[in-house]
Amino acid sequence: MHLVMVGYSAASFTTFFEAIIDRHRQWGFELPVPVRTIHHWIASTQRHLGLPKRDKFFILPAHIKCIIQLPRDSLKHLRDVTIIVLGTICALRAREVAKLDVCDMLWEFDGLNTLAILLWSPKNDSLKLGLFPRIGQGSAPETCPLKLIREYMTRAGLQISDGC
C-alpha cells in the first residue's frame, strides 16, 4: 500500500516484487506468501495502475493487396507504397527500411521470381550474420510485390552496380 500511496507505477511494483522473490531465493529463505499470490498482486496492480491496453490492428494480406493497388501517380507515391509493402511483408523496423540499399536486394535468390533481402544487424539476429527475409511472386500481376519493387527501382533509376 505504501507504494500505491507514494505513486509508483505498475512497472515499479513488478520490479520490487521480483527483487523480493530474487533475494529470498538467493539466500535460501522461504517466501512468507506463495509466488502465485505475488503474481496475482502484480497482475492486479498492472490492471489498476497500468496504462489501458491498446487495441492491435493487424495488417492482413487483403490490406497489402489494397495498398499495392493504390494509384502510383508520382515517384513519391510509388516509394511510399513500396516501403509499406516491403516493410510489412518482411516485418522490418523503420530503421531497417531506411538502411536498405539496392545491393541488399538479392534477386532470384531461391529460384525464379524470388527475392531475398539482406538485413545487416537486425535486432533479432543474435549471431550478427545478417538475415535474409524472402519475398515471392504475387498471386496476380497487379498484386505482385516483386513487380512493385522492380517498378520503383526502374522509375527511380536505381540499378545494382558491379561493386555490390
Side-chain angles (χ1 to χ4, degrees), residues 6-86:
V6 173
Y8 279 96
S9 68
S12 296
F13 271 83
T14 306
T15 304
F16 279 112
F17 282 128
E18 287 176 351
I20 291 169
I21 292 170
D22 184 56
R23 293 288 187 254
H24 277 76
R25 286 187 179 152
Q26 183 179 359
W27 296 101
F29 293 118
E30 192 170 321
L31 287 167
V33 178
V35 174
R36 181 179 291 279
T37 303
I38 294 174
H39 287 293
H40 288 300
W41 289 347
I42 292 172
S44 177
T45 56
Q46 288 175 343
R47 219 175 10 256
H48 295 291
L49 296 178
L51 295 173
K53 191 172 184 181
R54 293 187 334 198
D55 291 331
K56 290 184 180 179
F57 298 103
F58 297 102
I59 298 177
L60 303 173
H63 296 124
I64 297 295
K65 286 182 181 181
C66 290
I67 291 170
I68 287 178
Q69 294 176 9
L70 286 173
R72 303 185 289 256
D73 302 329
S74 67
L75 184 60
K76 182 181 179 203
H77 291 154
L78 179 60
R79 181 203 64 197
D80 293 345
V81 168
T82 306
I83 287 172
I84 292 170
V85 170
L86 187 65

